[in-house]
Amino acid sequence: MANIIMFTILAVVILGSAVMCVTTKRIMRAATFMLFVLFGVAGLYFLLDYTYLGAAQISVYAGGVTMIYVFAIQLVSKRTLQGMVENIKCSRAIGAAVLAVVGLATVAFIFLKNEFICRAADVVDAEVPMRTIGQALVGSEKYQYVLPFEFISIFLLACIIGALVVSRKVKED
């Protein structure tokens, strides 16, 4: 019963923070709400007794959000950080809503077609050992994820280099 209550609390924090993250108009508040989302996901990992994944979630992603703070402070002016306001056109909002509904319908269709919900109910009862998860994350065989992790690390390195180039001040002669 305590697990259900903790899951409910974490789910409310994650969903509420995610909605606030995408709806706020201030960049620092958005980064703070994203930090709450990431801590909530780490809490779910701890709730499932996956302490390594929870610690990795906190160290890697919370560290990433700290970097977002640093880049936000460096790249955006003080006046913009204090009160950034963006006007959204009605046509863009309608287009975004239509795109969201199409995405939701696509996901629902795939779930129903592949009977994902019925299969997920069978998998919930099975306990997956941490060794299996670790081998899937860092293995190099079929259906293992070391190659995508390497591509992501190269992509993130390129993003960091690009952010440094953009934030570099050009000296005028």
Side-chain angles (χ1 to χ4, degrees):
M1 184 65 178
N3 285 341
I4 294 174
I5 292 171
M6 282 304 298
F7 175 78
T8 305
I9 291 171
L10 287 171
V12 167
V13 167
I14 290 170
L15 291 175
S17 297
V19 168
M20 292 301 294
C21 179
V22 297
T23 57
T24 187
K25 295 180 180 178
R26 297 188 176 175
I27 190 168
M28 296 304 281
R29 288 184 184 172
T32 304
F33 285 126
M34 188 167 67
L35 186 65
F36 289 148
V37 170
L38 296 172
F39 277 134
V41 172
L44 288 177
Y45 286 140
F46 287 124
L47 188 64
L48 293 170
D49 290 330
Y50 291 142
T51 53
Y52 175 75
L53 290 177
Q57 174 82 11
I58 289 173
S59 63
V60 172
Y61 292 115
V65 170
T66 304
M67 293 309 298
I68 289 174
Y69 278 124
V70 170
F71 282 125
I73 290 168
Q74 287 181 347
L75 295 175
V76 180
S77 69
K78 182 178 180 183
R79 195 178 90 223
T80 305
L81 278 176
Q82 290 174 349
M84 187 172 101
V85 177
E86 180 179 330
N87 295 328
I88 299 173
K89 294 181 180 178
C90 184
S91 62
R92 290 188 76 188
I94 292 172
V98 168
L99 189 63
V101 169
V102 168
L104 179 65
T106 303
V107 170
F109 174 73
I110 291 171
F111 273 10
L112 294 174
K113 182 182 177 209
N114 295 324
E115 299 175 1
F116 179 77
I117 296 171
C118 298
R119 291 181 190 171
D122 297 336
V123 173
V124 168
D125 295 334
E127 183 111 3
V128 179
M130 194 63 177
R131 177 180 287 282
T132 305
I133 293 173
Q135 288 174 346
L137 287 176
V138 296
S140 61
E141 296 177 13
K142 190 174 182 180
Y143 301 119
Q144 295 180 343
Y145 296 103
V146 75
L147 190 61
F149 278 164
E150 290 301 321
F151 283 133
I152 290 171
S153 67
I154 292 170
F155 176 71
L156 290 176
L157 178 63
C159 289
I160 290 171
I161 292 170
L164 289 173
V165 168
V166 168
S167 66
R168 184 179 60 170
K169 294 182 181 179
V170 178
K171 292 182 181 180
E172 294 183 19
D173 293 330

